[in-house]
Amino acid sequence: MTRDDATAVVGRVVELLQDLADVPIETLRSIAQESSVTHAVQLTEALLQLTPSGSSAGWLRCLLSELLFIAGRPADSVATVAALPQGAVAPSVAGSAAVAEVLSGALLHPRSAEASARRRLRAVAGDIDQDPAAIAAASVLADCRARAGDMEEALYWSRLVAHHADLVPSPFWSMHLLVEAAARLADAGEDAEAETLAERVPARWDRAPYPGIEAALARVQAKVLIQRGLWSPLNRQINDAAAAATPERGERLHAPLLLAQLSIAAVYAGDLPTAQTRLEACRRLLPERGAAVWDARHAPEVPWAELLWEECDGSSKRAVHRLTRLARDSRAPLVRLFATVPGAAAWAARIAVDAGQRGLARHIGAVTEDVRALQPTRAALSAEHVRGVLDRDPVALARAATQHRHAWARARAASDLASSLEDRAGPPPAWQSEPGRHRGSWHVVPTAQPERDDDGQQSGWEALSGREQQVARLAAAGLTNRQIASRVHCSVHTVNFHLRSVFRKLKITSRVEIGRHLASEAPAHRTG
């Protein structure tokens, strides 16, 4: 190609780009939806450079801020709308830019987000229908209250946002506010209301397609189905949304949370290979420069999926370490986890008890009581379940096992009840006889060190997790895998997984050898 030919090609490309400057915003949204967020960001940035002050520049800048938010880049989103000329844009553009600033700013500054949201709401004296940024502030406040474990106030603000979301000029922000409100409703167990709210979104999405909205809707659907105990159908119904959640798409807002939710559902269903696959995909999608974004959101799906997988992977020690880190976090992420995930507090208490971590167990009990104080009705059975685990109280455990509306939480309570009845002849927990400590001064009490191999790896009975010990005792007693699964309320696949871990840690190859190991190393353990 000659120099003249190259010059002509470059000139033609420039002409095409200049023609694109007048492309409708809807076309750019479709490009983002059909190709990738990254490509759409690059194209929108190129168009802005060509027409920095053209008739469509305001909306192009708003679109760019939305795409950057979807890509997990809230700082860039704020910087984009900050470049809009003051007082020289249409009210709809200004309203959309203000929403972007409020929502992205809340992710960047989570510690001051609640105070900022309340200030903005006070400024409009509760009349949020005239101020899109105030509607966004109400959503931020709802999330902050959910983060603090106060689901009652979180639901109040979520419902207010849902009522006014149509007044937000940007279709993306309107849909985002709706699905976030629906997700909080689902977290609070208001699954029918969450479904109804989510049903308002698809019609908007058909008119204004945006990447991530499909994943956001699937995430809400997953939460609802998990609440109802429909774990296996969940993966089939939203497989398309999960398959589209890839790093190449560049959507890092809702897609990672969807994949974490699917990992949780797979663990509940006993499908551990799928749980691992989904969790690994979730990790790949977390924002490259925005790990703090997810800390700020305190989205409970990600840490809960990690904790569950660590237990299933036979790494209860890692689960205890993660729980300890979460408990010491000044932002109190355990509060939202326990307030929004049924059974999570009791699961954490059981992990701490089995590991002999008395300080951690007491702290979990204190956090659970704090959550119950904020929502006495919603959190009553969860608190009862935790108390049953810590005090080995069969009455409390039986109440949780029969009355909890969440299927997985009921199953865990039934399993804890069975373990409690098996252990009734044992000594009481150490913390029952110790004077109480101020919850703010808790510390993890080191346990006796288990036997180790020459390479430093734990071995012997004490290397097994609490669930592995339970499965091993039942196997040694002669129960089949199906009988064990029925007894501990899990799948046969999960029983096989735990037995393989037992064989590996005890360095044995048959169930008969489990019995011999029990006789030699753990004579006090019952085989019930």
Side-chain angles (χ1 to χ4, degrees):
M1 179 183 292
T2 67
R3 181 182 297 274
D4 290 341
D5 290 337
T7 301
V9 169
V10 171
R12 180 57 181 152
V13 169
V14 170
E15 289 176 5
L16 289 172
L17 285 174
Q18 288 173 337
D19 290 339
L20 281 174
D22 293 324
V23 167
I25 299 298
E26 289 76 8
T27 303
L28 292 172
R29 291 173 183 148
S30 297
I31 292 171
Q33 171 64 20
E34 298 299 328
S35 61
S36 76
V37 179
T38 303
H39 294 158
V41 166
Q42 293 169 344
L43 177 57
T44 308
E45 288 175 335
L47 295 178
L48 277 170
Q49 289 178 355
L50 287 170
T51 58
S53 59
S55 59
S56 60
W59 272 116
L60 280 174
R61 198 166 287 282
C62 287
L63 174 63
L64 181 57
S65 73
E66 294 163 358
L67 294 173
L68 291 168
F69 186 84
I70 293 167
R73 297 165 56 185
D76 294 333
S77 177
V78 170
T80 297
V81 295
L84 281 167
Q86 295 298 316
V89 295
S92 56
V93 172
S96 180
V99 171
E101 186 176 10
V102 169
L103 295 180
S104 295
L107 293 181
L108 292 171
H109 309 290
R111 295 183 185 276
S112 59
E114 181 171 348
S116 297
R118 290 193 186 278
R119 279 197 302 272
R120 186 174 288 271
L121 289 167
R122 283 196 299 269
V124 298
D127 190 16
I128 68 173
D129 57 348
Q130 301 300 316
D131 185 358
I135 300 173
S139 181
V140 169
L141 185 52
D143 202 58
C144 289
R145 296 319 301 158
R147 194 185 313 160
D150 186 357
M151 294 306 295
E152 300 301 330
E153 187 175 356
L155 291 183
Y156 168 80
W157 292 110
S158 295
R159 288 169 176 140
L160 191 67
V161 169
H163 184 70
H164 292 89
D166 291 343
L167 301 176
V168 175
S170 160
F172 168 72
W173 293 125
S174 177
M175 290 186 288
H176 174 74
L177 293 172
L178 283 173
V179 293
E180 286 292 285
R184 286 188 290 269
L185 286 162
D187 282 338
E190 303 292 342
D191 45 329
E193 189 178 358
E195 276 188 315
T196 300
L197 185 56
E199 287 169 359
R200 292 168 51 186
V201 176
R204 292 168 171 77
W205 188 59
D206 288 341
R207 294 193 302 269
Y210 270 92
I213 296 300
E214 186 179 13
L217 288 171
R219 176 189 170 214
V220 173
Q221 184 185 22
K223 286 176 177 286
V224 168
L225 292 174
I226 286 175
Q227 288 277 359
R228 295 173 180 171
L230 301 175
W231 307 319
S232 296
L234 180 151
N235 290 313
R236 293 197 299 270
Q237 291 181 26
I238 56 182
N239 184 62
D240 289 345
T246 63
E248 292 74 25
R249 295 274 298 162
E251 197 278 287
R252 302 177 186 274
L253 181 63
H254 294 289
L257 304 184
L258 167 63
L259 290 166
Q261 200 75 58
L262 293 180
S263 178
I264 292 165
V267 170
Y268 288 178
D271 185 357
L272 301 187
T274 297
Q276 183 178 17
T277 299
R278 298 299 195 198
L279 184 56
E280 289 173 349
C282 167
R283 291 166 179 161
R284 288 193 295 270
L285 279 180
L286 292 177
E288 298 171 4
R289 295 185 294 162
V293 169
W294 304 101
D295 291 340
R297 292 187 74 178
H298 288 318
E301 294 97 321
V302 176
W304 183 229
E306 294 281 6
L307 285 165
L308 286 175
W309 174 249
E310 285 167 349
E311 184 199 27
C312 292
D313 196 31
S315 253
S316 57
K317 182 178 179 180
R318 287 210 311 268
V320 169
H321 178 73
R322 186 182 296 275
L323 277 172
T324 301
R325 191 171 68 250
L326 292 172
R328 287 175 169 160
D329 191 328
S330 61
R331 295 165 297 187
L334 286 182
V335 172
R336 184 165 192 175
L337 178 64
F338 294 170
T340 59
V341 180
W347 177 92
R350 169 59 62 193
I351 289 290
V353 167
D354 288 348
Q357 298 289 353
R358 300 177 304 205
L360 179 58
R362 280 195 298 270
H363 180 75
I364 289 167
V367 172
T368 305
E369 289 302 319
D370 287 343
V371 171
R372 177 158 67 171
L374 288 167
Q375 41 182 343
T377 301
R378 295 180 191 278
L381 282 173
S382 292
E384 192 87 341
H385 190 176
V386 170
R387 186 175 66 80
V389 170
L390 297 182
D391 297 345
R392 292 196 303 190
D393 182 349
V395 175
L397 293 172
R399 191 175 294 116
T402 55
Q403 297 180 17
H404 210 297
R405 68 186 297 267
H406 191 279
W408 185 81
R410 283 198 310 275
R412 291 295 301 199
S415 177
D416 289 334
L417 175 60
S419 297
S420 174
L421 294 175
E422 288 176 357
D423 296 340
R424 291 286 283 175
W431 51 81
Q432 282 190 351
S433 58
E434 292 184 354
R437 299 185 186 182
H438 188 277
R439 69 184 61 173
S441 63
W442 77 277
H443 66 279
V444 177
V445 180
T447 58
Q449 293 299 310
E451 177 183 340
R452 295 181 181 272
D453 290 332
D454 292 338
D455 62 0
Q457 297 296 313
Q458 292 185 7
S459 63
W461 182 261
E462 295 302 324
L464 305 183
S465 69
R467 180 52 60 91
E468 288 168 348
Q469 291 181 6
Q470 183 183 25
V471 169
R473 290 197 297 270
L474 294 172
L479 275 69
T480 66
N481 284 8
R482 188 166 298 280
Q483 290 170 328
I484 296 171
S486 176
R487 185 77 169 269
V488 303
H489 303 280
C490 69
S491 71
V492 175
H493 183 93
T494 302
V495 172
N496 286 331
F497 178 90
H498 287 311
L499 283 175
R500 287 197 300 272
S501 181
V502 168
F503 287 0
R504 184 181 71 253
K505 292 180 180 180
L506 298 184
K507 299 182 178 179
I508 58 177
T509 58
S510 72
R511 293 173 182 241
V512 174
E513 291 176 270
I514 296 178
R516 294 172 184 162
H517 205 93
L518 278 168
S520 62
E521 289 196 28
H525 287 284
R526 297 179 59 186
T527 60

